[in-house]
Amino acid sequence: MRMDGLDLLIAEALKDIETAQNLTELNQIEIKYLGSKGSLQAQMRTIGTLPKEDRPKFGARVNSSKESISQRLSSKRTELEGKELEERLNKERIDITLPGRAFPIGRLHPLTLTVQRVKEALIGQGYEFVDGPELEEYAYNFEALNYPEDHPAFDEMMTFYVDDTRLLRTQTTALQGRVMEKRKPPFRMATTGRCFRYEAVDATHHHTFHQVDVFMVDEGISMADLKGTLKQFASAMFGGNVQVRFRPDFFPFVEPGVDYSIFWEGRWLELGGAGLIHPNILESYGIDTERYSGFAFGLGIERIHMIQNGVNDLRLYLENDLRFLKHF
Amino acid sequence: MRLSVEWIKEFVPTEASSEELARTLTMAGLEVEETIESEIGPVLDITVTPNRGDCLSAIGVARELCAIYSSPFPTIPNGVIVQPKKADYEISVAIEDIDLCSRYVARLVTNVRSKPSPDWMQKRLIAAGMRPINGIVDVTNYVMLETGQPLHAFDYEKLHGGRIIVRRAHKGETIRTLDGVERVLTEEMLAICDADHPVAIAGVMGGEEAEMNDFTKIMLLESAHFHPISIRRTSKKLNLRTEASYRFERFVDPESVGKAADRACQLISECGLGDVTTVLSDEYPVKIAHNRIIFRPARANTMLGYNIPKPELTKALANLGFESLGEQEDHITYSVPSWRPDIQREIDIIEEAGRIIGYDRIPERLPVGVTTQGRDTPIGKLSAKIRTGIAAVGLQEIVTHSLLSPGKMENDYPDGQRIEIRSALSSDLSGLRRSLLPGLMDVADRNARRGHLPLAFFEIGKVFHRTDQGYEESLAVGGIMAGAVAPRSWVRDDKHSDADFYMAKGIVEVVSRLCSVPDLQFCVSDDVRFHPGRSANILLGGKRIGVVGELHPELRKLHSIREKICFFELDLERLIDAGTKKQVFVSLSAYPVMVRDIAPRVEESIPYQQVLSSVKEVMPEILEKIEVTDVFTGSQIGEEMKSLTLSLTFRSPDRTLTDAEVNEALEKIRANLIQRCNARFAG
């Protein structure tokens, strides 16, 4: 009779566990059967009524029942916990299509981005960058660059003068003299910066614009070195394997002087001026022109960006409309 | 310069189309900007570089084509028909200043008839962009376009004494030029004078007094060579540019002076505009020597970068009119044509040969050899770092120009003088910026008016000052912000706070950390551009290197922005100088931190700086960091009082701290705050 009672109790407990719906129910079941006032404890208390020889056996049975019930409880608990977590996570679902928190983010100006690309390309080719002043001396902007006195070449350089000897540089080439008076060849130099010319502002002209200027002096430098360097530079800037074309042009500081174009996306695009550094300039800095020669080339930063991005109005760069700036 | 193709072809034996001619000329250095259709066929618009005055004519352009096509050189047509009748007139020409005039040819034409030039001539002039005037004027213009030699016609009977004197003007001499303007000449200007006074400004413009008119019977035709620099200076000084001065300042071939006069006489005769007489004068006191230059074919190959056979080089040069005076084993001595003063040394000849042979043959090669290490400038590197840093906190970079007009914002700038542009053409471009503020303000305002947000911009650029020491140019970084800098968000707890003084100051602190300059000081500023209670001068080592503040409401009124406008500006060059010190590494402590808060209550007038230094003064070695985490004001803590919450982090490099020693440090700090700042502590 007692044996049957314990068996029944176990069967009842296991059934209760099996049908428990949630952790709260399961906890109540645990208390009901295994708690200090629970059914199994009650069974244990009846041990005193048994004959002495039966007591150990009965005790062992109650204990093993306890164990199997608590094992069952534990596995059921794991099962229910998993289920409840799943339900909770399901309830915590959010609309992942709403935008994220709005962090402010600034961008760099397209001219800065272009200068960065120019620098990357030229530094990779071994060019050292130097800066020159925007408020430049007449001597560096013109005289040192082999501009003949009162020459019509000045007509192409409408200049902002501050006084008789100071002006706003019309070209970054003005740096050449500053470098050559301090350094001996060989060298490969480059500079970027702002230039000024008195021009009426329209879609292709501005009184303020930016240039990159590159020059090097070494033994045996020729027009072929210039062409190859321009090809490599233009390929780095515009991508692909661009073709370079020279056309004779005149700049007092180079001889031969050319303007160069690249063949890009099916057409020839004029990029800037170039040539071999005029021997008059090299000689004025004590460089032996029988041993050394050099080349120089320059181009507009705006021009590079306009070609790369199909921008058709130079004025946009200094206007700083946010729609334009955010585009790049 | 515009020239009809049929005119050019008169001198070049070629079947080439106008497109081919345009391409050939462009690739040889005479850029054809466009080809225009006209009554007499296509017209080329050619840009001639300033060194090539010799190409400013049909014959000049034809010479280039002939050199490329290996055709014989074109020559100026001649065949003057001289009336056998001897004229009863004489001309006397005297060149007094032979340094400015090396040749002067004068010819006399009698029975001048006032009638229009022939149709074919008018058509060529019109195609070249010139207006036909009358027979004589048209002939002089026509010959100038054909030969490059400007001519001038005087009414002989109006020349006092029948004389021409070429001399520098006397001080104070005046002349009324053909454009009706009375001009005062200076002693540097060359004048064509009669026996008494100037009748023309040499090479620039004639005078009204000896001008030809419908009643002129006898004409004196002038063809001369004037010194290019003299003509250029005179024309610039008088602000008078003419087709003649344009050509003279680019050098006109002295050896064509006579031929051009003859050509004009031929046309005058053929067109029935007058009788050309035998009376002529050709003063040629200074023969301009042809340059002699030694040319080494091997050197040409070195410079051009590829091997050109010697015969090919010499052929190209011969085609251009270079005359060999003798050939040695490794060099040839050349005589340069009289029309090419731009050819001065060997490299110029190399260029000539190279361009006629064609630059397309130059191969592509990369320089080899030891050279400099490629790198950016130190300031370039630092600017890049700062740009990225400021953009990362939400400001958009802009680039504005450095020239600006004087305005309220500019005038109020406290430091130095503005550098003015001499004889500025417009007030908008009359001086250089001393501060980045006006440019940043303009951009913020423009975007605000267009409804673009956020208004948060920065710029890195040069600013300029005139000081007692001269001109100063330095690189500055500046930023402006107004209203909400962060974009609007649907997330409710995202702070949508408007720009204020502390936002601008925060960015200054970001910049100083990026430059490794931690010890900037901020002190009250009297810069009138800013709110007097919400602006600060930024000092480094006691020197002012910048400013931060809220714009003065009076300045804000000038613009469309309603919110507070905050601004900062820093001298980057001073920062880089200070930031180049190497940072010494101190090994990291392995022991834990203890963080304690204290909340001193002080009078509102006591600046945080004073509280901070009172904490630092105690300087227990174990105090690692001080942060202010709250500033509270309100009636609960008393009128004109504020409560600061300071979070103090303690750590030792060599042991785990105990509660007791941290408490002791805190006690000392509290005591000092009470003493120095009259602070009170709750509880």
Side-chain angles (χ1 to χ4, degrees), chain A residues 112 134 149-150 161 164 194 198 255 280 283 319 321, chain B residues 232-233 345 351 375 397 402 422 425 446 450 473 490:
Chain A
T112 299
E134 290 175 15
E149 195 188 1
D150 274 305
Y161 283 95
D164 285 345
R194 178 169 285 198
Y198 245 129
E255 191 76 21
N280 289 354
E283 283 163 11
E319 190 190 1
D321 185 298
Chain B
R232 182 173 168 82
R233 285 183 182 160
R345 47 189 301 175
E351 174 179 51
R375 59 170 151 247
E397 189 190 19
S402 340
R422 197 173 63 179
L425 293 180
R446 190 176 309 132
R450 292 176 185 175
E473 170 179 340
W490 61 273

PDB file of all heavy atoms in Angstrom, chain A residues 112 134 149-150 161 164 194 198 255 280 283 319 321, chain B residues 232-233 345 351 375 397 402 422 425 446 450 473 490:
ATOM      1  N   THR A 112      40.317  69.939 -51.549  1.00  0.00           N
ATOM      2  CA  THR A 112      41.187  69.235 -50.605  1.00  0.00           C
ATOM      3  C   THR A 112      41.332  67.774 -51.020  1.00  0.00           C
ATOM      4  O   THR A 112      42.432  67.219 -51.028  1.00  0.00           O
ATOM      5  CB  THR A 112      40.591  69.299 -49.185  1.00  0.00           C
ATOM      6  OG1 THR A 112      40.499  70.656 -48.799  1.00  0.00           O
ATOM      7  CG2 THR A 112      41.438  68.537 -48.194  1.00  0.00           C
ATOM      8  N   GLU A 134      51.828  82.897 -50.613  1.00  0.00           N
ATOM      9  CA  GLU A 134      50.855  83.400 -51.600  1.00  0.00           C
ATOM     10  C   GLU A 134      51.148  84.864 -51.914  1.00  0.00           C
ATOM     11  O   GLU A 134      50.964  85.318 -53.031  1.00  0.00           O
ATOM     12  CB  GLU A 134      49.425  83.258 -51.052  1.00  0.00           C
ATOM     13  CG  GLU A 134      48.976  81.809 -50.983  1.00  0.00           C
ATOM     14  CD  GLU A 134      47.619  81.621 -50.339  1.00  0.00           C
ATOM     15  OE1 GLU A 134      46.863  82.604 -50.190  1.00  0.00           O
ATOM     16  OE2 GLU A 134      47.303  80.475 -49.967  1.00  0.00           O
ATOM     17  N   GLU A 149      62.157  91.568 -69.250  1.00  0.00           N
ATOM     18  CA  GLU A 149      61.639  92.853 -68.812  1.00  0.00           C
ATOM     19  C   GLU A 149      60.577  93.365 -69.794  1.00  0.00           C
ATOM     20  O   GLU A 149      60.774  93.312 -71.009  1.00  0.00           O
ATOM     21  CB  GLU A 149      62.829  93.820 -68.788  1.00  0.00           C
ATOM     22  CG  GLU A 149      62.590  95.092 -68.048  1.00  0.00           C
ATOM     23  CD  GLU A 149      63.772  96.063 -68.267  1.00  0.00           C
ATOM     24  OE1 GLU A 149      64.721  95.695 -69.004  1.00  0.00           O
ATOM     25  OE2 GLU A 149      63.727  97.141 -67.717  1.00  0.00           O
ATOM     26  N   ASP A 150      59.459  93.847 -69.282  1.00  0.00           N
ATOM     27  CA  ASP A 150      58.407  94.422 -70.111  1.00  0.00           C
ATOM     28  C   ASP A 150      58.056  93.587 -71.339  1.00  0.00           C
ATOM     29  O   ASP A 150      57.931  94.092 -72.447  1.00  0.00           O
ATOM     30  CB  ASP A 150      58.806  95.838 -70.561  1.00  0.00           C
ATOM     31  CG  ASP A 150      58.417  96.850 -69.514  1.00  0.00           C
ATOM     32  OD1 ASP A 150      57.244  96.878 -69.138  1.00  0.00           O
ATOM     33  OD2 ASP A 150      59.311  97.580 -69.049  1.00  0.00           O
ATOM     34  N   TYR A 161      48.989  93.518 -57.585  1.00  0.00           N
ATOM     35  CA  TYR A 161      50.178  94.024 -56.901  1.00  0.00           C
ATOM     36  C   TYR A 161      49.792  94.638 -55.564  1.00  0.00           C
ATOM     37  O   TYR A 161      48.738  95.248 -55.424  1.00  0.00           O
ATOM     38  CB  TYR A 161      50.879  95.091 -57.749  1.00  0.00           C
ATOM     39  CG  TYR A 161      51.687  94.516 -58.878  1.00  0.00           C
ATOM     40  CD1 TYR A 161      51.154  94.387 -60.154  1.00  0.00           C
ATOM     41  CD2 TYR A 161      52.995  94.075 -58.659  1.00  0.00           C
ATOM     42  CE1 TYR A 161      51.891  93.836 -61.198  1.00  0.00           C
ATOM     43  CE2 TYR A 161      53.745  93.519 -59.692  1.00  0.00           C
ATOM     44  CZ  TYR A 161      53.196  93.411 -60.956  1.00  0.00           C
ATOM     45  OH  TYR A 161      53.939  92.867 -61.965  1.00  0.00           O
ATOM     46  N   ASP A 164      55.453  97.810 -55.191  1.00  0.00           N
ATOM     47  CA  ASP A 164      56.313  97.626 -56.357  1.00  0.00           C
ATOM     48  C   ASP A 164      56.998  96.260 -56.409  1.00  0.00           C
ATOM     49  O   ASP A 164      57.338  95.773 -57.480  1.00  0.00           O
ATOM     50  CB  ASP A 164      57.403  98.712 -56.386  1.00  0.00           C
ATOM     51  CG  ASP A 164      56.822 100.040 -56.831  1.00  0.00           C
ATOM     52  OD1 ASP A 164      55.701 100.031 -57.377  1.00  0.00           O
ATOM     53  OD2 ASP A 164      57.486 101.074 -56.618  1.00  0.00           O
ATOM     54  N   ARG A 194      47.438  78.239 -53.820  1.00  0.00           N
ATOM     55  CA  ARG A 194      46.493  79.187 -54.388  1.00  0.00           C
ATOM     56  C   ARG A 194      47.213  80.210 -55.248  1.00  0.00           C
ATOM     57  O   ARG A 194      48.293  80.663 -54.877  1.00  0.00           O
ATOM     58  CB  ARG A 194      45.800  79.864 -53.211  1.00  0.00           C
ATOM     59  CG  ARG A 194      44.829  80.910 -53.561  1.00  0.00           C
ATOM     60  CD  ARG A 194      44.041  81.294 -52.332  1.00  0.00           C
ATOM     61  NE  ARG A 194      43.064  80.265 -52.003  1.00  0.00           N
ATOM     62  CZ  ARG A 194      42.013  80.475 -51.207  1.00  0.00           C
ATOM     63  NH1 ARG A 194      41.831  81.648 -50.642  1.00  0.00           N
ATOM     64  NH2 ARG A 194      41.155  79.516 -50.971  1.00  0.00           N
ATOM     65  N   TYR A 198      44.051  88.686 -62.215  1.00  0.00           N
ATOM     66  CA  TYR A 198      42.931  89.591 -62.425  1.00  0.00           C
ATOM     67  C   TYR A 198      42.097  89.096 -63.592  1.00  0.00           C
ATOM     68  O   TYR A 198      42.399  89.372 -64.733  1.00  0.00           O
ATOM     69  CB  TYR A 198      43.469  90.984 -62.786  1.00  0.00           C
ATOM     70  CG  TYR A 198      43.162  92.038 -61.764  1.00  0.00           C
ATOM     71  CD1 TYR A 198      44.164  92.865 -61.264  1.00  0.00           C
ATOM     72  CD2 TYR A 198      41.860  92.218 -61.307  1.00  0.00           C
ATOM     73  CE1 TYR A 198      43.898  93.830 -60.313  1.00  0.00           C
ATOM     74  CE2 TYR A 198      41.585  93.185 -60.358  1.00  0.00           C
ATOM     75  CZ  TYR A 198      42.607  93.983 -59.870  1.00  0.00           C
ATOM     76  OH  TYR A 198      42.332  94.934 -58.929  1.00  0.00           O
ATOM     77  N   GLU A 255      61.925  75.601 -71.849  1.00  0.00           N
ATOM     78  CA  GLU A 255      62.371  75.558 -73.237  1.00  0.00           C
ATOM     79  C   GLU A 255      62.923  74.170 -73.495  1.00  0.00           C
ATOM     80  O   GLU A 255      63.881  73.793 -72.840  1.00  0.00           O
ATOM     81  CB  GLU A 255      63.451  76.637 -73.481  1.00  0.00           C
ATOM     82  CG  GLU A 255      63.803  76.859 -74.912  1.00  0.00           C
ATOM     83  CD  GLU A 255      62.739  77.679 -75.678  1.00  0.00           C
ATOM     84  OE1 GLU A 255      61.953  78.396 -75.014  1.00  0.00           O
ATOM     85  OE2 GLU A 255      62.681  77.556 -76.896  1.00  0.00           O
ATOM     86  N   ASN A 280      68.637  79.291 -68.655  1.00  0.00           N
ATOM     87  CA  ASN A 280      68.919  80.584 -68.003  1.00  0.00           C
ATOM     88  C   ASN A 280      68.630  80.498 -66.510  1.00  0.00           C
ATOM     89  O   ASN A 280      69.329  81.105 -65.694  1.00  0.00           O
ATOM     90  CB  ASN A 280      68.031  81.699 -68.584  1.00  0.00           C
ATOM     91  CG  ASN A 280      68.430  82.066 -70.009  1.00  0.00           C
ATOM     92  OD1 ASN A 280      69.428  81.578 -70.516  1.00  0.00           O
ATOM     93  ND2 ASN A 280      67.644  82.923 -70.633  1.00  0.00           N
ATOM     94  N   GLU A 283      71.242  78.135 -64.718  1.00  0.00           N
ATOM     95  CA  GLU A 283      72.536  78.819 -64.620  1.00  0.00           C
ATOM     96  C   GLU A 283      72.511  79.921 -63.565  1.00  0.00           C
ATOM     97  O   GLU A 283      73.493  80.136 -62.856  1.00  0.00           O
ATOM     98  CB  GLU A 283      72.930  79.401 -65.986  1.00  0.00           C
ATOM     99  CG  GLU A 283      73.447  78.308 -66.927  1.00  0.00           C
ATOM    100  CD  GLU A 283      73.464  78.736 -68.389  1.00  0.00           C
ATOM    101  OE1 GLU A 283      73.270  79.941 -68.670  1.00  0.00           O
ATOM    102  OE2 GLU A 283      73.667  77.848 -69.250  1.00  0.00           O
ATOM    103  N   GLU A 319      32.126  78.845 -54.155  1.00  0.00           N
ATOM    104  CA  GLU A 319      30.800  79.270 -53.723  1.00  0.00           C
ATOM    105  C   GLU A 319      30.358  78.503 -52.476  1.00  0.00           C
ATOM    106  O   GLU A 319      29.660  79.018 -51.614  1.00  0.00           O
ATOM    107  CB  GLU A 319      29.811  79.060 -54.871  1.00  0.00           C
ATOM    108  CG  GLU A 319      28.465  79.696 -54.601  1.00  0.00           C
ATOM    109  CD  GLU A 319      27.418  79.293 -55.618  1.00  0.00           C
ATOM    110  OE1 GLU A 319      27.721  78.503 -56.534  1.00  0.00           O
ATOM    111  OE2 GLU A 319      26.287  79.760 -55.471  1.00  0.00           O
ATOM    112  N   ASP A 321      28.251  75.897 -51.903  1.00  0.00           N
ATOM    113  CA  ASP A 321      26.863  75.495 -51.689  1.00  0.00           C
ATOM    114  C   ASP A 321      26.893  74.075 -51.122  1.00  0.00           C
ATOM    115  O   ASP A 321      27.558  73.193 -51.671  1.00  0.00           O
ATOM    116  CB  ASP A 321      26.110  75.532 -53.027  1.00  0.00           C
ATOM    117  CG  ASP A 321      24.632  75.256 -52.861  1.00  0.00           C
ATOM    118  OD1 ASP A 321      24.298  74.131 -52.407  1.00  0.00           O
ATOM    119  OD2 ASP A 321      23.815  76.139 -53.180  1.00  0.00           O
TER     120      ASP A 321
ATOM    121  N   ARG B 232      56.078  99.071 -75.829  1.00  0.00           N
ATOM    122  CA  ARG B 232      55.222  98.465 -74.815  1.00  0.00           C
ATOM    123  C   ARG B 232      55.029  99.420 -73.627  1.00  0.00           C
ATOM    124  O   ARG B 232      53.939  99.592 -73.117  1.00  0.00           O
ATOM    125  CB  ARG B 232      55.827  97.146 -74.335  1.00  0.00           C
ATOM    126  CG  ARG B 232      54.951  96.455 -73.312  1.00  0.00           C
ATOM    127  CD  ARG B 232      55.456  95.078 -72.952  1.00  0.00           C
ATOM    128  NE  ARG B 232      54.735  94.591 -71.779  1.00  0.00           N
ATOM    129  CZ  ARG B 232      53.542  94.024 -71.841  1.00  0.00           C
ATOM    130  NH1 ARG B 232      52.953  93.863 -72.993  1.00  0.00           N
ATOM    131  NH2 ARG B 232      52.938  93.636 -70.747  1.00  0.00           N
ATOM    132  N   ARG B 233      56.119 100.036 -73.204  1.00  0.00           N
ATOM    133  CA  ARG B 233      56.028 100.945 -72.045  1.00  0.00           C
ATOM    134  C   ARG B 233      55.148 102.140 -72.362  1.00  0.00           C
ATOM    135  O   ARG B 233      54.325 102.554 -71.547  1.00  0.00           O
ATOM    136  CB  ARG B 233      57.415 101.412 -71.633  1.00  0.00           C
ATOM    137  CG  ARG B 233      58.160 100.326 -70.909  1.00  0.00           C
ATOM    138  CD  ARG B 233      59.512 100.816 -70.437  1.00  0.00           C
ATOM    139  NE  ARG B 233      60.219  99.724 -69.795  1.00  0.00           N
ATOM    140  CZ  ARG B 233      61.527  99.689 -69.606  1.00  0.00           C
ATOM    141  NH1 ARG B 233      62.276 100.699 -70.017  1.00  0.00           N
ATOM    142  NH2 ARG B 233      62.088  98.661 -69.016  1.00  0.00           N
ATOM    143  N   ARG B 345      69.544  80.899 -77.817  1.00  0.00           N
ATOM    144  CA  ARG B 345      70.599  79.948 -77.488  1.00  0.00           C
ATOM    145  C   ARG B 345      70.266  78.552 -78.011  1.00  0.00           C
ATOM    146  O   ARG B 345      69.205  78.339 -78.582  1.00  0.00           O
ATOM    147  CB  ARG B 345      70.895  79.936 -75.981  1.00  0.00           C
ATOM    148  CG  ARG B 345      69.683  79.876 -75.061  1.00  0.00           C
ATOM    149  CD  ARG B 345      70.065  80.082 -73.612  1.00  0.00           C
ATOM    150  NE  ARG B 345      71.027  79.061 -73.179  1.00  0.00           N
ATOM    151  CZ  ARG B 345      71.618  79.051 -71.992  1.00  0.00           C
ATOM    152  NH1 ARG B 345      71.352  80.022 -71.128  1.00  0.00           N
ATOM    153  NH2 ARG B 345      72.454  78.094 -71.657  1.00  0.00           N
ATOM    154  N   GLU B 351      64.397  73.271 -79.621  1.00  0.00           N
ATOM    155  CA  GLU B 351      62.935  73.301 -79.605  1.00  0.00           C
ATOM    156  C   GLU B 351      62.367  73.423 -81.016  1.00  0.00           C
ATOM    157  O   GLU B 351      61.414  72.736 -81.385  1.00  0.00           O
ATOM    158  CB  GLU B 351      62.423  74.464 -78.756  1.00  0.00           C
ATOM    159  CG  GLU B 351      60.894  74.612 -78.844  1.00  0.00           C
ATOM    160  CD  GLU B 351      60.325  75.729 -77.994  1.00  0.00           C
ATOM    161  OE1 GLU B 351      60.829  76.855 -78.107  1.00  0.00           O
ATOM    162  OE2 GLU B 351      59.392  75.477 -77.230  1.00  0.00           O
ATOM    163  N   ARG B 375      57.764  63.197 -49.901  1.00  0.00           N
ATOM    164  CA  ARG B 375      57.023  63.427 -48.652  1.00  0.00           C
ATOM    165  C   ARG B 375      56.222  64.713 -48.717  1.00  0.00           C
ATOM    166  O   ARG B 375      56.494  65.600 -49.526  1.00  0.00           O
ATOM    167  CB  ARG B 375      57.959  63.467 -47.448  1.00  0.00           C
ATOM    168  CG  ARG B 375      59.007  64.543 -47.564  1.00  0.00           C
ATOM    169  CD  ARG B 375      59.776  64.718 -46.260  1.00  0.00           C
ATOM    170  NE  ARG B 375      61.129  65.192 -46.545  1.00  0.00           N
ATOM    171  CZ  ARG B 375      62.222  64.487 -46.325  1.00  0.00           C
ATOM    172  NH1 ARG B 375      62.162  63.298 -45.792  1.00  0.00           N
ATOM    173  NH2 ARG B 375      63.398  64.980 -46.635  1.00  0.00           N
ATOM    174  N   GLU B 397      34.027  71.130 -44.512  1.00  0.00           N
ATOM    175  CA  GLU B 397      35.128  71.999 -44.951  1.00  0.00           C
ATOM    176  C   GLU B 397      34.694  72.864 -46.133  1.00  0.00           C
ATOM    177  O   GLU B 397      33.987  72.405 -47.027  1.00  0.00           O
ATOM    178  CB  GLU B 397      36.351  71.182 -45.381  1.00  0.00           C
ATOM    179  CG  GLU B 397      37.541  72.100 -45.604  1.00  0.00           C
ATOM    180  CD  GLU B 397      38.743  71.444 -46.259  1.00  0.00           C
ATOM    181  OE1 GLU B 397      38.598  70.374 -46.872  1.00  0.00           O
ATOM    182  OE2 GLU B 397      39.833  72.022 -46.165  1.00  0.00           O
ATOM    183  N   SER B 402      40.625  84.723 -50.807  1.00  0.00           N
ATOM    184  CA  SER B 402      41.349  85.517 -49.807  1.00  0.00           C
ATOM    185  C   SER B 402      41.189  87.012 -49.994  1.00  0.00           C
ATOM    186  O   SER B 402      41.707  87.784 -49.204  1.00  0.00           O
ATOM    187  CB  SER B 402      42.842  85.202 -49.857  1.00  0.00           C
ATOM    188  OG  SER B 402      43.102  83.984 -50.466  1.00  0.00           O
ATOM    189  N   ARG B 422      47.023  97.220 -54.691  1.00  0.00           N
ATOM    190  CA  ARG B 422      47.279  98.503 -55.334  1.00  0.00           C
ATOM    191  C   ARG B 422      46.385  98.647 -56.562  1.00  0.00           C
ATOM    192  O   ARG B 422      46.241  97.712 -57.332  1.00  0.00           O
ATOM    193  CB  ARG B 422      48.753  98.571 -55.733  1.00  0.00           C
ATOM    194  CG  ARG B 422      49.214  99.971 -56.035  1.00  0.00           C
ATOM    195  CD  ARG B 422      50.698 100.009 -56.259  1.00  0.00           C
ATOM    196  NE  ARG B 422      51.058  99.217 -57.434  1.00  0.00           N
ATOM    197  CZ  ARG B 422      52.318  99.099 -57.876  1.00  0.00           C
ATOM    198  NH1 ARG B 422      53.301  99.657 -57.206  1.00  0.00           N
ATOM    199  NH2 ARG B 422      52.587  98.406 -58.946  1.00  0.00           N
ATOM    200  N   LEU B 425      40.726  96.945 -59.003  1.00  0.00           N
ATOM    201  CA  LEU B 425      39.704  97.258 -59.997  1.00  0.00           C
ATOM    202  C   LEU B 425      38.312  97.273 -59.388  1.00  0.00           C
ATOM    203  O   LEU B 425      37.407  97.889 -59.908  1.00  0.00           O
ATOM    204  CB  LEU B 425      39.760  96.254 -61.148  1.00  0.00           C
ATOM    205  CG  LEU B 425      41.018  96.325 -62.018  1.00  0.00           C
ATOM    206  CD1 LEU B 425      40.966  95.287 -63.113  1.00  0.00           C
ATOM    207  CD2 LEU B 425      41.174  97.709 -62.632  1.00  0.00           C
ATOM    208  N   ARG B 446      24.890  82.344 -46.961  1.00  0.00           N
ATOM    209  CA  ARG B 446      24.372  81.936 -48.272  1.00  0.00           C
ATOM    210  C   ARG B 446      23.615  80.621 -48.162  1.00  0.00           C
ATOM    211  O   ARG B 446      22.521  80.465 -48.686  1.00  0.00           O
ATOM    212  CB  ARG B 446      25.540  81.802 -49.256  1.00  0.00           C
ATOM    213  CG  ARG B 446      25.103  81.623 -50.694  1.00  0.00           C
ATOM    214  CD  ARG B 446      26.287  81.601 -51.637  1.00  0.00           C
ATOM    215  NE  ARG B 446      27.182  82.732 -51.420  1.00  0.00           N
ATOM    216  CZ  ARG B 446      28.503  82.630 -51.311  1.00  0.00           C
ATOM    217  NH1 ARG B 446      29.082  81.446 -51.399  1.00  0.00           N
ATOM    218  NH2 ARG B 446      29.242  83.690 -51.105  1.00  0.00           N
ATOM    219  N   ARG B 450      19.503  79.678 -48.538  1.00  0.00           N
ATOM    220  CA  ARG B 450      19.000  78.656 -49.453  1.00  0.00           C
ATOM    221  C   ARG B 450      18.348  77.505 -48.697  1.00  0.00           C
ATOM    222  O   ARG B 450      17.946  76.505 -49.282  1.00  0.00           O
ATOM    223  CB  ARG B 450      20.157  78.118 -50.310  1.00  0.00           C
ATOM    224  CG  ARG B 450      20.676  79.168 -51.261  1.00  0.00           C
ATOM    225  CD  ARG B 450      21.885  78.690 -52.037  1.00  0.00           C
ATOM    226  NE  ARG B 450      22.421  79.789 -52.846  1.00  0.00           N
ATOM    227  CZ  ARG B 450      23.537  79.705 -53.556  1.00  0.00           C
ATOM    228  NH1 ARG B 450      24.219  78.581 -53.580  1.00  0.00           N
ATOM    229  NH2 ARG B 450      23.958  80.727 -54.252  1.00  0.00           N
ATOM    230  N   GLU B 473      52.166  86.533 -43.377  1.00  0.00           N
ATOM    231  CA  GLU B 473      51.235  85.581 -43.976  1.00  0.00           C
ATOM    232  C   GLU B 473      51.263  84.334 -43.119  1.00  0.00           C
ATOM    233  O   GLU B 473      52.336  83.823 -42.831  1.00  0.00           O
ATOM    234  CB  GLU B 473      51.721  85.262 -45.400  1.00  0.00           C
ATOM    235  CG  GLU B 473      51.003  84.130 -46.068  1.00  0.00           C
ATOM    236  CD  GLU B 473      51.507  83.877 -47.505  1.00  0.00           C
ATOM    237  OE1 GLU B 473      52.119  84.781 -48.115  1.00  0.00           O
ATOM    238  OE2 GLU B 473      51.282  82.763 -47.993  1.00  0.00           O
ATOM    239  N   TRP B 490      14.676  61.112 -35.318  1.00  0.00           N
ATOM    240  CA  TRP B 490      13.428  60.653 -34.700  1.00  0.00           C
ATOM    241  C   TRP B 490      13.680  60.068 -33.328  1.00  0.00           C
ATOM    242  O   TRP B 490      12.764  59.881 -32.544  1.00  0.00           O
ATOM    243  CB  TRP B 490      12.739  59.615 -35.603  1.00  0.00           C
ATOM    244  CG  TRP B 490      13.594  58.388 -35.812  1.00  0.00           C
ATOM    245  CD1 TRP B 490      14.531  58.216 -36.767  1.00  0.00           C
ATOM    246  CD2 TRP B 490      13.592  57.216 -35.018  1.00  0.00           C
ATOM    247  NE1 TRP B 490      15.139  56.998 -36.634  1.00  0.00           N
ATOM    248  CE2 TRP B 490      14.576  56.360 -35.564  1.00  0.00           C
ATOM    249  CE3 TRP B 490      12.879  56.792 -33.900  1.00  0.00           C
ATOM    250  CZ2 TRP B 490      14.851  55.112 -35.031  1.00  0.00           C
ATOM    251  CZ3 TRP B 490      13.151  55.538 -33.366  1.00  0.00           C
ATOM    252  CH2 TRP B 490      14.146  54.708 -33.936  1.00  0.00           C
TER     253      TRP B 490
END
